[in-house]
Amino acid sequence: MSSEDKTSNSSQPTTPSSRLSLPSRKSSFLTIVKAQVSVLLSTLSENTYSRSVSDIFALIEENGKAVYLHLIRRIIQEWQLGQGPQSSTYPGSSIQKLLIDQLQALSKSQTAASLFCEAISSTEKSEALKNFDFEVFINDQPLKPVERIRLALALLQSPKSDFVVQAERVIQSTTPSLKEQLSSPDLLLEFIQSLDATIYRYWNEPNDTVTNLVNALYSNNIPNNVTATIKEIL
């Protein structure tokens, strides 16, 4: 190749696509996918519910956790907009149904609940929840005590101190009803077994909220063999 050819090739303009790095392209693509999720949510209705939710989860399946976290943030943002009859999250609305379904799914285990913590603790300015109060939010949802507790336990891991304080208050206020729900040794053991490794560190570090929770549950009449099994797990 002549020096003239080399000069000619080196002077060719760089196209935008060649300048765009792989991470940038991936980020741009995710932005488009998140916009698709937002559009599907904006048109969600009783008539379109099954098809739209199916389409949303197909996008999540194809594009991963980041899209699911976006979904959780978006439906919580809808809740934040208000609770009046004109609100999309008014009790009985399609968005409210999707919100409750996802909260119940996330509260099936501590590993799943950690996704809730990750979603609302986002530090991205474009997606961060503004003035979100977990205590007000969770008190507005028709969840069982064990579901409320699991989400609150997950939120103890949040890097945002306000969320941690709010989660501690929820745990404290929900403990009496959780104790009632887990009144049998079998139910208590099932609850303890459902706690995953992500939460174990709280049993080994000073944390009055979690300690008080465990002590309150232990105050039920638990057979020694169940207590021994629980201690092995924890």
Side-chain angles (χ1 to χ4, degrees):
M1 181 182 291
S2 68
S3 57
E4 183 179 345
D5 290 335
K6 290 180 180 179
T7 302
S8 175
N9 287 338
S10 63
S11 63
Q12 290 294 321
T14 306
T15 63
S17 60
S18 65
R19 290 198 303 267
L20 196 60
S21 66
L22 183 59
S24 296
R25 273 185 264 178
K26 184 176 180 181
S27 177
S28 298
F29 182 71
L30 278 177
T31 298
I32 294 171
V33 173
K34 290 176 181 180
Q36 289 178 294
V37 170
S38 296
V39 169
L40 287 168
L41 286 175
S42 69
T43 59
L44 197 63
S45 68
E46 185 177 350
N47 293 332
T48 66
Y49 189 86
S50 295
R51 175 62 184 272
S52 294
V53 171
S54 177
D55 288 346
I56 288 171
F57 278 90
L59 290 171
I60 292 169
E61 183 70 23
E62 292 172 6
N63 299 283
K65 184 175 74 170
V67 180
Y68 181 69
L69 297 181
H70 173 71
L71 168 66
I72 298 303
R73 283 190 288 269
R74 284 288 290 111
I75 55 181
I76 291 177
Q77 285 170 343
E78 289 293 328
W79 171 85
Q80 283 186 301
L81 291 176
Q83 297 296 295
Q86 301 306 314
S87 169
S88 61
T89 53
Y90 189 69
S93 69
S94 297
I95 288 287
Q96 174 72 0
K97 173 177 167 53
L98 181 58
L99 173 62
I100 298 304
D101 286 349
Q102 293 314 302
L103 291 177
Q104 290 173 335
L106 288 168
S107 61
K108 288 186 181 300
S109 74
Q110 282 315 130
T111 298
S114 67
L115 293 175
F116 174 79
C117 175
E118 188 174 349
I120 70 170
S121 299
S122 173
T123 55
E124 295 181 33
K125 289 184 178 180
S126 60
E127 295 201 327
L129 294 170
K130 296 179 180 178
N131 304 316
F132 177 70
D133 189 314
F134 172 69
E135 189 174 10
V136 172
F137 170 76
I138 207 68
N139 286 338
D140 193 54
Q141 311 307 323
L143 299 176
K144 296 177 181 178
V146 68
E147 294 168 338
R148 292 159 57 92
I149 286 285
R150 283 208 180 106
L151 294 175
L153 283 171
L155 208 53
L156 292 177
Q157 302 173 74
S158 175
K160 298 188 176 182
S161 59
D162 287 351
F163 288 167
V164 173
V165 171
Q166 292 162 12
E168 288 178 337
R169 287 201 296 262
V170 168
I171 292 170
Q172 291 164 1
S173 64
T174 309
T175 294
S177 53
L178 177 67
K179 181 180 175 181
E180 184 176 340
Q181 184 182 352
L182 304 179
S183 57
S184 76
D186 289 342
L187 288 175
L188 175 59
L189 181 58
E190 182 182 351
F191 171 70
I192 297 298
Q193 287 174 328
S194 74
L195 297 176
D196 301 305
T198 53
I199 201 68
Y200 282 178
R201 65 189 182 92
Y202 289 110
W203 310 118
N204 299 317
E205 295 179 3
N207 188 303
D208 291 341
T209 301
V210 175
T211 300
N212 292 338
L213 169 63
V214 174
N215 288 340
L217 296 177
Y218 267 13
S219 68
N220 283 349
N221 295 322
I222 304 173
N224 290 336
N225 64 317
V226 175
T227 302
T229 302
I230 290 174
K231 287 182 177 179
E232 288 176 6
I233 296 171
L234 300 180

